[in-house]
Amino acid sequence: MTDTDPGYLESIATSLAREAGQLALVRRSEGVSIAATKSAIADIVTDADREVETLIRARLREIRPADGFLGEESDADPGTSGITWVVDPIDGTVNYAYGIPSYAVSIAAVQGPLNPGEWTALAGAVYVPPLDEMFHAARGGGAWLGERRLRVETDASAAGALLATGFGYDPTTHAGDLTRVARVMPMARDIRRMGAASIDLCSVAAGRLDGYFERGLKPWDHAAAGLIVTESGGRFGVFPPDETGRVLVIAAVPGIYERLSGLAQP
Ligand code: IPD
């Protein structure tokens, strides 16, 4: 096994995600404080987001010193090995801050340029601490929920697709997001907005959703979970930025992916 073997990188991602998730759980039980707001007043970072990212970054520096790092809460480092770790320490920060038990640590190892359209995801882990659920995948090795292999159904139910979406923090973009929701509703049996993009994506891989779409995700929201979707047999795409600079991410079971992509795009 080489040090770029996807299975080896997957084992690092799962072990770090579990350790980081335990820290997030402990900090949540102690009470959460908002450290700052970011792009908009609704876009928050907690002290725990920063502490968890610092922990993951420090561990990676010890065991993979030549690798790059791209995280939600700290400066990027391109590294020298060609492998970059793409990390969201707490995806679903607003859920976390409100005590809604739906948030995740997301860790991916990618190879190539620091651009989701150009890199190759080699391994990923999405750990949901309140449920102790570990979604993980290695390129070519399948997608897993713990020890259970994930394989998506090829089509949605005849009753229509159970879909999920999300809304960015910038209020000026909400009207456009709602227009998309109205456009996709005819193909939906119902729609969810659960608050953590990585979990939404893993839910497609696990058969808990038929499809998911959202504008404005950042690379750390989908780097690990996008691989988990494709390794489960689902389809995943990152569509080019719109006039506001926001990419559109779509994941779905194969039978509805094209239709959902057509309706969710401008
Ligand atoms: C957010 C969550 C949310 C999605 C936002 C993301 P964060 O990530 O994934 O569900 O709608 O677009 O930014 O800020 O909690 O890491």
Side-chain angles (χ1 to χ4, degrees):
M1 192 181 270
T2 68
D3 73 350
T4 57
D5 178 78
Y8 172 58
L9 298 171
E10 179 188 24
S11 68
I12 294 174
T14 53
S15 120
L16 285 180
R18 189 176 297 283
E19 182 185 3
Q22 294 307 325
L23 175 61
L25 256 189
V26 169
R27 292 294 179 261
R28 176 59 244 178
S29 70
E30 294 166 350
V32 168
S33 57
I34 310 300
T37 56
K38 301 192 288 184
S39 62
I41 194 161
D43 186 6
I44 53 170
V45 54
T46 69
D47 288 329
D49 288 83
R50 290 177 173 167
E51 188 183 357
V52 171
E53 181 158 319
T54 300
L55 170 75
I56 296 168
R57 196 165 186 160
R59 290 278 186 271
L60 286 169
R61 200 176 293 123
E62 283 161 26
I63 57 177
R64 308 275 309 179
D67 291 354
F69 187 88
L70 177 66
E72 181 171 17
E73 313 300 349
S74 57
D75 294 336
D77 167 8
T80 54
S81 68
I83 303 280
T84 301
W85 294 87
V86 185
V87 170
D88 193 340
I90 300 178
D91 180 40
T93 303
V94 174
N95 283 351
Y96 185 75
Y98 274 73
I100 298 171
S102 186
Y103 58 86
V105 179
S106 173
I107 301 179
V110 306
Q111 191 164 39
L114 274 194
N115 175 350
E118 296 176 74
W119 71 39
T120 302
L122 298 180
V126 173
Y127 181 57
V128 186
L131 301 177
D132 190 26
E133 287 195 326
M134 178 71 76
F135 297 91
H136 56 104
R139 188 167 205 82
W144 303 80
L145 170 50
E147 304 284 304
R148 180 163 70 86
R149 179 95 188 242
L150 300 177
R151 288 190 181 87
V152 300
E153 298 291 327
T154 52
D155 216 339
S157 137
L162 185 61
L163 301 176
T165 191
F167 307 99
Y169 295 116
D170 178 357
T172 65
T173 61
H174 291 165
D177 292 338
L178 290 167
T179 302
R180 282 175 169 72
V181 170
R183 271 209 309 261
V184 306
M185 277 317 276
M187 68 179 287
R189 71 186 297 158
D190 205 345
I191 194 150
R192 302 283 182 266
R193 195 293 185 249
M194 293 181 288
S198 61
I199 302 178
D200 290 331
L201 288 162
C202 289
S203 297
V204 173
R208 296 172 180 174
L209 289 172
D210 298 309
Y212 162 76
F213 61 99
E214 180 167 351
R215 273 197 308 168
L217 290 189
K218 298 294 193 303
W220 41 80
D221 295 318
H222 60 73
L227 178 66
I228 291 166
V229 170
T230 54
E231 286 293 326
S232 73
R235 292 189 60 188
F236 170 81
V238 182
F239 292 82
D242 61 15
E243 64 294 343
T244 66
R246 304 192 324 148
V247 299
L248 173 68
V249 167
I250 298 183
V253 300
I256 67 158
Y257 181 85
E258 296 297 342
R259 184 160 177 226
L260 180 59
S261 306
L263 292 171
Q265 288 185 75

